[in-house]
Amino acid sequence: MSYVEEVYAGLEAKHPNESEFLEAAKRVLDSLEPIVSAHEEKYRSTALLERLVEPERIITFRVPWVDDQGKPQVNLGYRVQFNSAIGPYKGGLRFHPSVNQSILKFLGFEQIFKNSLTGLPIGGGKGGSDFDPKGKSDAEVMRFCQSFMTELCKYIGKDTDVPAGDIGVGGREIGYLYGQYKRITGLYEGVLTGKGLTFGGSLARTEATGYGLVYITNEVVKGAGRDLKGKTIVVSGSGNVAQYAIQKAEQLGAKCVTCSDSNGYVYDPDGIKLDVVFDIKQGHRGRIREYVEKVPTAQYFEGQKPWSVPCDIALPCATQNEINGEDARTLIKNGCWCVCEGANMPSDADAIDEYEKAREEKGFLFMPAKAANAGGVAVSALEMSQNSERLSWSFDEVDHKLEDIMKDIYSKVSTAAKTYGHEGDFVVGANIAGFQKVAEAMSAQGLV
């Protein structure tokens, strides 16, 4: 049994019920086999992999709050502080009924490598709650956020752990969380990112994940000797990532024909009209089905995902495991030759297997989330820099830095894949490139 196999077997024995985390850990560990086997004695002697796969700390707490009817409610809150070898913990907070420790450990584990790939000094973490902000009043969300931060503030700080937003945590929630942190601690510091522009937020942060996704997609396409201009793109989701991925892709000459939410998707053969999507999603937080009321030539498909729509490129920007093996086969059959992930781990294990088969047979291109959606956390780190300097950079300055970071990530990933005998396999390349920096830092700092 190899070192990688031993470590995974031990992890599986310790955490048999954490399926999401185990799936992510196995995928990463398997892809690290080439570099681990080259340095096995060194890594074994310091139990490096055993330390890598266990969080440094997990905080779990109750979150009591009162709804608008005066009834007390109790949710669970979490913060997984996974790895601080290269900097303070950095990773989003997710408010969604599906949140549990396994999902947050999977997201935090992936965050280690994503943050490393940015080249910025940030470690990996994740947190959140099983609270669902959907359908709640602003007052209820505020009371929940204040209660959540009352406990979380004991464990975070600008040089310790800097959370951000994720699913269910947008500008409204970040504002309430930051207000409570300031009220309790008396500190006006960059402890949260994704803040409003009036209290320390960064220009281009809202656009960052979507823009970054398209910047790296453009590099992937160019690396294969193709051009993004004129290509048809299928996008899932209709939140910030999807909206700004569509915007940047259209600026670069591509045509995005779909977007979706949890109820279904819309197909617009003439290209998605972003002003309509902005009005629905930013204007009054409506459902994407309203799009067809404003654009009669579009079609709405209730309860379906957009992966049957013929395209050149697919950008999944909604949630984890939204593409399964059957979806992947359908995409490839209908002409898709590239998938770049805007959401966190939107392709399940079977889908990734299908991409791998297609890569070996016909050069299919797949850039995993830890590289492709790193733009958001990259600009979050740039927000931390601006907060520390007490400065605010221009939109163009931040955007140029973001584009350079995404180009550099593509270069690191493709080079690592080639160096370890897996040219074109960006999954292996991303994991190895992210792992190298963290492993060197952990080794240099001793057994901690």
Side-chain angles (χ1 to χ4, degrees):
M1 186 181 289
S2 71
Y3 181 34
V4 163
E5 290 170 334
E6 287 177 23
V7 170
Y8 180 74
L11 200 64
E12 196 173 29
K14 285 181 185 177
H15 310 290
N17 299 316
E18 297 184 350
S19 58
E20 296 90 353
F21 172 58
L22 289 173
E23 177 188 340
K26 179 162 179 49
R27 285 277 168 179
V28 171
L29 289 170
D30 285 350
S31 69
L32 294 178
E33 186 72 60
I35 188 172
V36 171
S37 60
H39 304 279
E40 183 167 333
E41 185 177 344
K42 176 185 175 182
Y43 294 156
R44 273 186 182 274
S45 68
T46 59
L48 190 137
L49 291 186
E50 290 90 338
R51 290 186 289 137
L52 180 72
V53 298
E54 291 289 355
E56 293 174 13
R57 191 174 300 103
I58 300 176
I59 299 116
T60 307
F61 51 95
R62 69 187 182 196
V63 187
W65 58 283
V66 178
D67 65 23
D68 286 344
Q69 286 69 49
K71 183 179 178 182
Q73 304 287 341
V74 179
N75 287 95
L76 283 175
Y78 304 87
R79 187 66 179 170
V80 178
Q81 297 177 332
F82 220 116
N83 190 291
S84 60
I86 62 174
Y89 309 105
K90 187 84 192 78
L93 297 171
R94 175 175 294 191
F95 293 169
H96 192 271
S98 66
V99 165
N100 57 40
Q101 183 169 294
S102 174
I103 286 175
L104 293 179
K105 283 176 67 177
F106 126 58
L107 292 169
F109 188 59
E110 290 279 304
Q111 198 79 39
I112 299 168
F113 307 100
K114 180 193 300 185
N115 292 358
S116 173
L117 284 170
T118 68
L120 301 167
I122 42 178
K126 207 74 179 180
S129 173
D130 57 0
F131 172 77
D132 188 359
K134 192 180 295 184
K136 304 290 193 303
S137 70
D138 288 349
E140 287 175 320
V141 171
M142 181 182 71
R143 288 193 291 271
F144 173 83
C145 288
Q146 289 174 339
S147 181
F148 183 87
M149 182 54 77
T150 297
E151 184 64 23
L152 184 66
C153 71
K154 303 170 187 175
Y155 310 102
I156 62 176
K158 67 182 178 65
D159 297 314
T160 307
D161 185 348
V162 184
D166 193 82
I167 293 172
V169 179
R172 173 183 62 171
E173 289 76 16
I174 291 293
Y176 293 149
L177 291 165
Y178 190 74
Q180 186 71 353
Y181 180 86
K182 186 162 61 73
R183 181 180 296 114
I184 292 171
T185 65
L187 298 173
Y188 206 108
E189 62 180 22
V191 70
L192 290 166
T193 56
K195 299 186 294 299
L197 294 177
T198 56
F199 58 102
S202 174
L203 290 164
R205 177 59 189 91
T206 304
E207 296 86 353
T209 307
Y211 277 20
L213 171 62
V214 176
Y215 287 143
I216 201 168
T217 301
N218 195 35
E219 294 302 303
V220 170
V221 170
K222 287 195 299 184
R226 305 198 194 199
D227 192 337
L228 197 62
K229 189 174 183 179
K231 300 302 182 292
T232 298
I233 300 179
V234 164
V235 177
S236 68
S238 52
N240 279 347
V241 182
Q243 290 171 25
Y244 292 107
I246 292 170
Q247 186 178 73
K248 182 55 65 174
E250 291 180 347
Q251 287 175 6
L252 296 181
K255 181 170 72 169
C256 300
V257 295
T258 67
C259 61
S260 67
D261 59 23
S262 57
N263 295 118
Y265 78 90
V266 293
Y267 169 63
D268 188 339
D270 299 324
I272 292 294
K273 314 297 185 295
L274 261 185
D275 58 334
V276 176
V277 178
F278 285 157
D279 178 61
I280 294 168
K281 291 297 179 178
Q282 297 183 22
H284 59 278
R285 301 189 186 190
R287 307 306 293 167
I288 203 62
R289 68 169 71 92
E290 297 172 31
Y291 185 95
V292 297
E293 298 170 9
K294 302 171 186 285
V295 184
T297 55
Q299 296 174 273
Y300 174 68
F301 297 86
E302 178 76 20
Q304 297 184 45
K305 298 182 287 186
W307 312 125
S308 61
V309 176
C311 64
D312 299 296
I313 298 166
L315 302 178
C317 299
T319 189
Q320 73 258 22
N321 292 335
E322 59 174 301
I323 301 181
N324 59 31
E326 184 179 348
D327 296 326
R329 286 189 291 273
T330 300
L331 275 168
I332 294 165
K333 180 182 176 182
N334 286 342
C336 179
W337 45 266
C338 176
V339 171
C340 294
E341 297 184 321
N344 284 307
M345 210 173 172
S347 305
D348 72 11
D350 291 338
I352 294 171
D353 288 342
E354 294 298 326
Y355 303 153
E356 177 61 18
K357 288 179 197 172
R359 184 184 69 80
E360 293 175 350
E361 293 171 2
K362 56 180 87 172
F364 187 88
L365 303 168
F366 170 57
M367 185 61 76
K370 65 171 58 67
N373 80 357
V377 74
V379 173
S380 283
L382 297 180
E383 181 178 327
M384 292 166 65
S385 297
Q386 293 169 79
N387 292 164
S388 295
E389 293 181 325
R390 296 291 193 268
L391 294 174
S392 181
W393 302 339
S394 71
F395 185 99
D396 287 344
E397 186 175 359
V398 177
D399 191 28
H400 287 317
K401 289 179 186 293
L402 169 62
E403 185 173 7
D404 287 344
I405 288 169
M406 300 312 295
K407 287 179 177 178
D408 183 58
I409 290 174
Y410 171 75
S411 177
K412 288 176 185 172
V413 169
S414 55
T415 299
K418 185 175 182 180
T419 299
Y420 285 91
H422 289 261
E423 186 169 4
D425 188 338
F426 299 137
V427 174
V428 169
N431 286 326
I432 288 178
F435 169 78
Q436 282 177 305
K437 181 178 179 180
V438 176
E440 288 171 13
M442 290 176 69
S443 296
Q445 293 169 26
L447 197 63
V448 293

